[in-house]
Amino acid sequence: MATAESVFPDQSDFHYDYETLRTTGVILAVVMFVSGILIALSKKFTKCVKSSSNSSSSASQVPKTEVPPPGV
């Protein structure tokens, strides 16, 4: 039967490259933060543009409201 050392080799020389891990994490965090801000602002600006162009054309029109059918 195989011993534990032959199945699982010694990993004492294994180490993480913390500098690369940290740099990659910071870069990803900045990219996601900036993209989130851009998405939030783009939706806000497109909403403002649509509402300002829509309000000038519909200012002379009376808004239509639905009247629910009478209940019994």
Side-chain angles (χ1 to χ4, degrees):
M1 181 163 235
T3 62
E5 289 181 7
S6 64
V7 176
F8 300 109
D10 186 25
Q11 293 184 355
S12 61
D13 59 346
F14 181 77
H15 67 282
Y16 287 104
D17 185 10
Y18 288 108
E19 188 65 29
T20 304
L21 189 63
R22 187 181 306 135
T23 305
T24 306
V26 168
I27 290 171
L28 286 174
V30 168
V31 167
M32 288 190 287
F33 178 77
V34 170
S35 63
I37 295 295
L38 290 175
I39 290 170
L41 291 178
S42 69
K43 287 182 180 180
K44 185 175 182 179
F45 287 134
T46 56
K47 191 175 185 180
C48 291
V49 170
K50 287 180 183 177
S51 65
S52 64
S53 66
N54 196 13
S55 65
S56 63
S57 64
S58 66
S60 61
Q61 297 177 354
V62 177
K64 296 179 181 179
T65 57
E66 284 190 31
V67 178
V72 176

